[in-house]
């Protein structure tokens, strides 16, 4: 909950300074209210909701998407629209970290898988930052290529883990908290530090806010833009590798849907799709909301397609709201 | 530099020619009429969606939801067959496409949501609806004979679908090059504000562009479902990359304001001959994906570099 408290601090943003009091309140605390409402509804509607087992489940699934969300925040803030190669980089992380285990051992396999995912991000970054290709097209294309190569590398089949010890390590708990959630927490803290406290984060926000102005004030805009895609790829590679180790199996389509979950979380958290504004805690608040909502829907027996439908609507509404609030704030 | 710009100008024809030569050398029997006819029939699915996307890209917008609309329209046209009959069901399928396009248009034009994000969200929505109404199972139609009729090859090369596609390309070419509204579309794509200032209602134009693109995706979906007598929520999931690749190979600019019907025809035929050739050589599906992705990236990079050089040249000429 400290995350949300943090996100409440950026009151200096011009976006929240004008407009009516009601709009002001809703845009500032809307997400917090929404999260509380979902928690309240979940608690009343389902006896399972507040059990430790369920909350740990939510935490675990949140951790896997959450690591991607941290990276995706950078892409959105830098004005890179979205990274659609996430499913491919997740598959890359998951498949390689399992497939390479017998050959080079679990730890090098893990590192290599994440590094190779990062290399995919480098390609994305070069195409978007230096060649200047539309990010969606670039990441869509690169994602297709990477997924194809990964599938070809393992022959298009499911890969199984060979080292149960690593699975036990990933699935273990520290003081009742899943290790994977602690890893997510660490990534989120690092991401938050980089985005809101470091020079790189200042550059990222400046580049997303006004590309030409940032370029004129000697910000290495191309490198910053490319960096955001590398960060996302590293994050999703890490998330994929953890996912692979948890499941001890990986199929090529293991990452499908994660790009939408991540984009939904970031956008619902109020990070602007136009770039130049946003923070990691904000994105994580969005993630908490989406994950709790999904969890309540699952507990209530809402079918998967309907969940997808609702999440799609959420993205559309959140982005439309963002545009509307922006207009109010600037005009 | 003149040579380079000539190459850039006619690169669609060049790429298509090269693809055909390489394919006919590597794949025995590639140039037989049957193969070409089948390839053309297959390509008409991508082609019909590509026509809609060409118009939308010229207007400066993009639609990622085409594949999902394709699946949804097909499912609607199949599922309504028992209650409405074949033709009315097909019409409702196409109308579903149009309605989907209207939603995209409202989000992009009305709510001013970036079209990439809007169609990304609607893609999720449409795909979910497709899974929802079919319970994720493929559905089959009532009249299997009709699909046979649809797959019949006339004059050794045309099927109903490919003839429809070619006719639509000709119509699009005529519309884009010979009519005022076609020219207005380019104006909207290159500079929406300037177009608005000169009396073109760019919002309306973009909205209609979205409706047009999704309607055509719907038509393609209905035709596909009728030809296979099946509707499936999984249909069209890998279409997005191929269609964008086909349009971009055809020289249509992603940022709007440039593109042509004949270019799209060339792009579609290139992608189709590549796919057919690879299938004849039993190249696995994922390798085909890699090739489609590589072509997309390479061409966008090429487009980018050639165009910036050309612009730098004009700038130099002006200052000199």
């Amino acid at each position: 909950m400290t995350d949300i408290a943090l996100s409440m601090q950026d009151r200096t943003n011009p976006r929240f300074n004008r407009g009516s009091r009601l709009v002001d309140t809703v845009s500032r605390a809307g997400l917090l209210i929404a999260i509380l409402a979902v928690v309240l509804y979940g608690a009343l509607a389902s006896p399972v909701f507040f059990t430790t087992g369920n909350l740990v489940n939510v935490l675990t699934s949140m951790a896997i998407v959450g690591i991607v969300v941290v990276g995706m925040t950078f892409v959105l803030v830098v004005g890179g629209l979205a990274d659609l190669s996430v499913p491919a980089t997740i598959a890359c992380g998951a498949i390689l970290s399992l497939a390479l285990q017998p050959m080079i051992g679990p730890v090098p396999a893990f590192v290599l898988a994440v590094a190779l995912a990062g290399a995919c991000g480098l390609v994305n970054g070069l195409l978007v930052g230096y060649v200047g290709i539309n990010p969606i097209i670039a990441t869509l294309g690169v994602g297709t290529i990477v997924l194809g190569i990964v599938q070809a590398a393992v022959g298009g089949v499911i890969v199984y883990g060979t080292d149960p010890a690593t699975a036990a390590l990933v699935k273990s708990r520290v003081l009742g908290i899943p290790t994977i959630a602690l890893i997510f927490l660490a990534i989120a803290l690092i991401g938050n530090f980089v985005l809101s406290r470091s020079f790189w984060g200042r550059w990222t926000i400046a580049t997303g806010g006004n590309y030409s102005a940032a370029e004129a004030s000697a910000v290495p805009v191309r490198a910053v833009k490319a960096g955001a895609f590398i960060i996302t790829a590293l994050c999703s590679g890490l998330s994929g590798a953890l996912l692979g180790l948890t499941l001890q199996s990986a199929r090529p389509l293991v990452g499908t849907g994660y790009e939408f979950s991540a984009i939904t979380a970031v956008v619902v958290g109020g990070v602007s799709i136009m770039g130049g504004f946003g923070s990691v805690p904000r994105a994580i608040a969005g993630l908490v909301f989406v994950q709790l909502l999904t969890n309540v829907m699952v507990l209530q027996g809402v079918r998967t397609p309907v969940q997808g439908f609702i999440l799609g609507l959420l993205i559309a509404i959140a982005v439309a709201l963002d545009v509307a609030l922006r207009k109010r704030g600037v005009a | 530099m003149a040579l380079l710009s000539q190459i850039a100008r006619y690169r669609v024809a060049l790429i298509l020619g090269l693809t055909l030569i390489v394919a006919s050398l590597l794949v025995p029997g590639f140039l037989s009429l049957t193969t070409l006819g089948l390839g053309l029939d297959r390509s008409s699915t991508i082609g019909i969606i590509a026509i809609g996307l060409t118009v939308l890209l010229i207007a400066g917008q993009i639609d990622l939801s085409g594949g999902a609309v394709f699946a949804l329209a097909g499912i609607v046209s199949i599922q309504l067959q028992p209650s409405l009959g074949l033709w009315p069901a097909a019409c409702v399928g196409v109308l579903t496409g149009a309605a989907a396009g209207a939603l995209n248009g409202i989000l992009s034009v009305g709510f001013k949501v970036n079209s990439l994000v809007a169609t990304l969200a609607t893609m999720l929505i449409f795909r979910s609806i497709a899974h929802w109404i079919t319970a994720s199972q493929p559905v089959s139609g009532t009249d299997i004979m009709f699909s046979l009729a649809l797959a019949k090859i006339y004059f050794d090369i045309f099927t109903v679908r490919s003839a429809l596609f070619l006719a639509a390309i000709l119509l699009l070419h005529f519309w884009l090059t010979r009519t005022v509204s076609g020219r207005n579309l380019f104006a909207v794509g290159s500079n929406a504000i300037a177009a608005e200032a000169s009396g073109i209602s760019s919002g309306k134009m973009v909205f209609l562009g979205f409706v047009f693109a999704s309607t055509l995706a719907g038509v393609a979906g209905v035709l596909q479902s009728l030809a296979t007598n099946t509707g499936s929520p999984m249909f069209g999931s890998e279409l997005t990359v191929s269609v964008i690749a086909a349009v971009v190979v055809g020289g249509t600019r992603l940022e709007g304001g440039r593109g042509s019907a004949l270019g799209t025809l060339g792009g579609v035929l290139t992608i189709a001959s590549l796919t057919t050739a690879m299938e004849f050589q039993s190249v696995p599906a994922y390798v085909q994906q890699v090739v489609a992705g590589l072509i997309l990236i390479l061409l966008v990079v090429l487009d980018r570099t050639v165009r910036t050089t050309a612009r730098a040249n004009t700038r130099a000429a002006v200052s000199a």
Side-chain angles (χ1 to χ4, degrees):
Chain A
M1 285 295 122
T2 48
D3 291 330
I4 296 152
L6 266 177
S7 75
M8 300 287 93
Q9 283 174 2
D10 47 14
R11 290 192 183 152
T12 44
N13 194 291
R15 204 173 134 179
F16 299 126
N17 287 348
R18 309 251 175 86
S20 76
R21 195 168 286 272
L22 182 69
V23 174
D24 204 44
T25 320
V26 168
S27 57
R28 223 182 263 166
L31 198 52
L32 195 63
I33 298 169
I35 292 174
L36 285 177
V38 172
V39 170
L40 200 66
Y41 177 77
L44 292 177
S46 164
V48 196
F49 184 76
F50 262 124
T51 55
T52 328
N54 184 50
L55 290 181
V56 167
N57 271 343
V58 175
L59 208 57
T60 316
S61 66
M62 193 163 88
I64 296 283
V65 196
I67 298 173
V68 183
V69 165
V70 174
M72 198 66 99
T73 311
F74 279 83
V75 168
L76 266 87
V77 169
V78 87
L81 290 171
D83 186 343
L84 295 189
S85 67
V86 161
T89 36
I90 286 187
C92 178
I95 290 181
L96 292 182
S97 68
L98 290 180
L100 294 175
Q101 268 182 9
M103 286 172 252
I104 56 176
V107 176
F110 190 88
V111 174
L112 193 60
V114 176
L116 279 175
C120 307
L122 182 65
V123 177
N124 280 332
L126 289 178
L127 288 175
V128 176
Y130 288 87
V131 187
I133 296 182
N134 183 313
I136 301 277
I137 305 298
T139 53
L140 201 63
V142 170
T144 318
I145 296 170
V146 169
L147 199 57
I149 294 175
V150 170
Q151 270 177 289
V154 296
V157 292
I158 300 181
V159 182
Y160 293 99
T162 49
D163 189 357
T166 52
L169 182 69
V170 175
K171 280 190 228 166
S172 68
R173 291 185 191 178
V174 180
L175 304 172
I177 305 165
T179 314
I180 212 161
L182 292 176
I183 297 176
F184 164 51
L185 188 68
I187 297 287
L189 286 176
I190 296 172
N192 185 37
F193 175 78
V194 171
L195 189 57
S196 57
R197 297 274 182 280
S198 77
F199 68 92
W200 187 266
R202 267 202 307 282
W203 284 353
T204 303
I205 294 173
T207 306
N210 191 333
Y211 189 86
S212 317
E215 195 175 21
S217 21
V219 173
V221 275
R222 287 159 182 253
V224 169
K225 209 156 196 181
F229 285 89
I230 299 174
I231 292 173
T232 311
L234 284 174
C235 284
S236 40
L238 175 66
S239 153
L242 289 174
L243 187 64
L245 290 181
T246 316
L247 300 172
Q248 279 299 299
S249 69
R251 52 198 178 86
L253 294 182
V254 65
T256 315
Y258 277 95
E259 80 279 34
F260 289 117
S261 315
I263 295 170
T264 315
V266 178
V267 168
V268 168
V271 174
S272 173
I273 192 86
M274 312 306 282
F277 170 79
S279 71
V280 171
R282 215 167 241 292
I284 289 174
L287 174 70
V288 170
F289 173 65
V290 172
Q291 288 289 317
L292 286 177
L293 186 69
T294 313
N295 182 249
V296 169
M297 286 197 284
V298 170
L299 290 180
Q300 292 293 305
V302 177
R303 282 167 42 213
T304 329
V306 186
Q307 292 174 25
F309 178 78
I310 292 175
L311 290 183
L313 273 185
L314 254 180
I315 307 187
I317 294 172
V319 178
L321 256 181
D322 175 61
V323 176
L325 285 176
R326 224 158 215 268
K327 213 184 282 164
R328 202 176 271 275
V330 174
Chain B
M1 199 40 79
L3 181 70
L4 197 65
S5 68
Q6 281 297 311
I7 290 177
R9 187 150 176 220
Y10 293 109
R11 61 176 192 191
V12 192
L14 268 176
I15 294 168
L16 179 60
L18 281 177
T19 319
L20 284 177
I21 291 171
V22 171
S24 56
L25 287 179
L26 291 180
V27 183
F30 182 77
L31 283 183
S32 77
L33 269 184
T34 330
T35 321
L36 290 180
L38 273 176
L40 198 59
D41 182 48
R42 293 265 316 278
S43 69
S44 48
T45 298
I46 291 182
I48 292 172
I49 307 179
I51 290 176
L53 195 64
T54 307
V55 169
L56 202 52
L57 280 181
I58 291 175
Q61 308 288 324
I62 198 171
D63 185 357
L64 298 179
S65 68
V69 173
F70 175 82
L72 185 60
I75 287 168
V76 167
S77 72
I78 290 290
Q79 272 202 329
L80 290 179
Q81 272 186 15
S83 49
L84 290 183
L86 197 142
W87 288 107
C91 291
V92 177
V94 174
L95 285 179
T96 312
L103 179 62
N104 283 338
I106 290 170
L107 279 175
S108 301
V109 180
F111 290 96
K112 302 209 176 350
V113 176
N114 183 313
S115 67
L116 278 165
V117 185
T119 54
L120 205 62
T122 52
M123 168 169 125
L124 192 61
I125 294 176
F126 298 148
R127 183 73 66 189
S128 307
I129 297 177
H131 276 281
W132 192 350
I133 58 182
T134 56
S136 301
Q137 298 295 317
V139 287
S140 51
T142 49
D143 187 4
I144 194 157
M145 294 317 287
F146 188 78
S147 59
L148 291 178
L150 205 58
K152 196 173 165 209
I153 297 182
Y154 300 93
F155 306 116
D156 287 336
I157 186 146
F158 289 117
T159 58
V160 174
R161 260 201 291 185
S162 49
L164 202 66
F165 162 54
L166 292 175
I169 281 282
L170 287 179
L171 278 179
L172 180 69
H173 180 67
F174 178 77
W175 183 60
L176 287 181
T177 52
R178 295 273 183 277
T179 65
V180 176
S181 64
R183 219 168 311 146
N184 288 353
L185 186 75
F186 285 95
V188 169
S190 26
N191 191 334
I193 299 166
E196 192 84 50
S198 43
I200 304 167
S201 164
S202 47
K204 193 173 137 202
M205 210 112 204
V206 170
F207 179 82
L208 289 178
F210 274 107
V211 175
F212 182 69
S214 290
T215 309
L216 280 186
V219 170
V222 168
L223 283 174
Q224 170 79 10
S225 286
L226 288 181
T228 54
N229 201 34
T230 317
S232 160
M234 296 306 290
F235 274 178
S237 48
E238 68 298 310
L239 272 179
T240 318
V241 175
S242 321
V243 173
I244 296 179
V247 179
V248 171
V249 172
T252 300
R253 212 169 95 188
L254 283 167
E255 289 81 6
R258 204 180 77 191
S260 73
L262 297 182
T264 297
L265 176 66
V268 169
L269 292 182
T270 307
I271 298 285
S273 37
L274 268 173
T275 322
T276 316
M278 285 192 289
E279 266 171 17
F280 265 59
Q281 297 294 77
S282 350
V283 175
Y286 41 80
V287 178
Q288 297 184 24
Q289 278 182 19
V290 174
V291 173
L294 274 178
I295 292 173
L296 177 63
I297 296 285
L298 276 179
L299 279 158
V300 180
V301 172
L302 184 77
D303 182 57
R304 201 82 211 172
T305 39
V306 170
R307 197 152 43 79
T308 32
T309 355
R311 194 189 287 156
N313 276 356
T314 42
R315 199 178 295 153
V318 165
S319 63

